[in-house]
Amino acid sequence: MELKAIIVEDEANSREILRNYLAKYCEGVILLGEAANIEQGLSLIQNQEPDLVFLDVEMPFGNAFDLLEKIPDRSFETIFVTAYNQYAMDALNHHAAYYLMKPINIDELVKAVEYVRAIKEKENALEGQVLKARPIKAEGKITLPQQDGFQVLEVGEIYFCKADDNYTEIYLEKKKIVVSKTLKYFEDALQPYPFARIHKSYLVNVSEVVKYKKGKGGSVILSNGKELSVSASKKAELLSYFQ
């Protein structure tokens, strides 16, 4: 699959290096254009509709996050390219697919591009379709600790789990159960079953997913009509469950 890409970077030398690396080492990447600041980048993205944007963090008259905030419903993936590692968490929170440090490591660049390519290929194949999950059923039982003992629950009854600080909200068809355990606890406990961590706040029963929608981070719609956000960093794990 070809990837249509844009570079948003204020340093001409950095743009040249990335441009040359993409041409030499990343087959199938079509560079649509380059921008030296936020406004140019915004205009280029809106006019060209890229699959992938390489984005520097620090630029004149704003930064990468200012640009992304101007595009609340975006379908492209973002690879941050920066000399500053303190922005990694902010990049993750803005659904970045990958975070590259300058000077760019060629192997890491190729890895980042292929990661995005895999996501876009799966998205294009699945968008708007009723999905067919791999033949794995959520069959089994799990115990939920409670003050007076524990409750036994069929795993297949769970639609999704939602983090609430050190608590987890477990959503069933007609009710919600709150348990004094972290979402990571249930992620580990449900590891043998088809549950995917799609977001820092959500663990979803993949058997209940009926549709995937592209967007800033994407989202899934469950069989009960509930729509949940998907983080860019979690897309690959989720989409691996579907054919």
Side-chain angles (χ1 to χ4, degrees):
M1 174 186 176
E2 292 183 336
L3 291 175
K4 298 179 294 181
I6 285 172
I7 297 173
V8 184
E9 160 71 66
D10 65 308
E11 297 179 1
N13 184 56
S14 295
R15 292 198 302 272
E16 181 180 6
I17 290 173
L18 181 53
R19 183 194 320 129
N20 291 338
Y21 280 1
L22 290 173
K24 187 172 182 179
Y25 300 107
C26 299
E27 184 178 353
V29 176
I30 301 172
L31 193 59
L32 301 177
E34 301 175 13
N37 57 51
I38 296 300
E39 292 305 318
Q40 290 178 6
L42 180 62
S43 176
L44 196 56
I45 290 169
Q46 292 173 334
N47 290 329
Q48 298 292 338
E49 299 184 353
D51 301 308
L52 170 60
V53 175
F54 292 92
L55 191 55
D56 189 17
V57 176
E58 291 287 359
M59 284 177 283
F61 313 111
N63 60 33
F65 309 116
D66 297 325
L67 172 60
L68 295 178
E69 290 296 333
K70 295 177 184 292
I71 314 173
D73 187 22
R74 56 185 185 266
S75 59
F76 60 85
E77 298 295 332
T78 306
I79 295 178
F80 279 80
V81 185
T82 179
Y84 306 99
N85 59 14
Q86 68 263 34
Y87 295 111
M89 184 56 67
D90 286 333
L92 184 63
N93 290 337
H94 281 77
H95 306 288
Y98 221 92
Y99 192 90
L100 294 175
M101 292 293 298
K102 297 178 182 178
I104 297 174
N105 179 285
I106 294 171
D107 290 338
E108 281 297 307
L109 173 63
V110 172
K111 184 178 177 181
V113 168
E114 292 308 311
Y115 181 81
V116 170
R117 196 192 311 274
I119 290 174
K120 301 303 290 186
E121 286 176 346
K122 202 71 172 182
E123 281 184 344
N124 289 343
L126 299 178
E127 184 188 19
Q129 299 181 23
V130 174
L131 304 181
K132 177 183 177 184
R134 286 187 287 151
I136 302 175
K137 294 183 179 180
E139 294 181 345
K141 298 180 185 291
I142 188 173
T143 59
L144 306 181
Q146 297 180 335
Q147 287 185 342
D148 58 350
F150 62 84
Q151 178 180 350
V152 180
L153 186 67
E154 289 284 348
V155 170
E157 295 180 13
I158 301 172
Y159 281 79
F160 68 97
C161 304
K162 181 181 179 181
D164 183 12
D165 292 328
N166 290 324
Y167 291 82
T168 297
E169 299 174 353
I170 298 177
Y171 286 80
L172 311 180
E173 183 177 5
K174 295 182 179 180
K175 67 177 181 178
K176 175 181 71 175
I177 302 173
V178 180
V179 182
S180 58
K181 293 287 185 181
T182 65
L183 189 60
K184 181 63 168 63
Y185 171 88
F186 285 101
E187 183 179 9
D188 293 339
L190 293 169
Q191 193 276 331
Y193 308 102
F195 281 77
R197 185 74 176 265
I198 62 170
H199 188 276
K200 65 180 180 180
S201 297
Y202 299 123
L203 179 67
V204 67
N205 182 350
V206 178
S207 299
E208 298 296 339
V209 174
V210 296
K211 188 174 181 180
Y212 172 78
K213 294 170 63 178
K214 294 196 293 186
K216 180 168 65 172
S219 64
V220 291
I221 297 177
L222 305 186
S223 60
N224 63 356
K226 182 69 175 179
E227 184 169 355
L228 303 175
S229 298
V230 179
S231 297
S233 61
K234 301 295 185 181
K235 281 184 183 179
E237 178 185 352
L238 170 69
L239 297 179
S240 70
Y241 279 90
F242 299 101
Q243 300 172 345

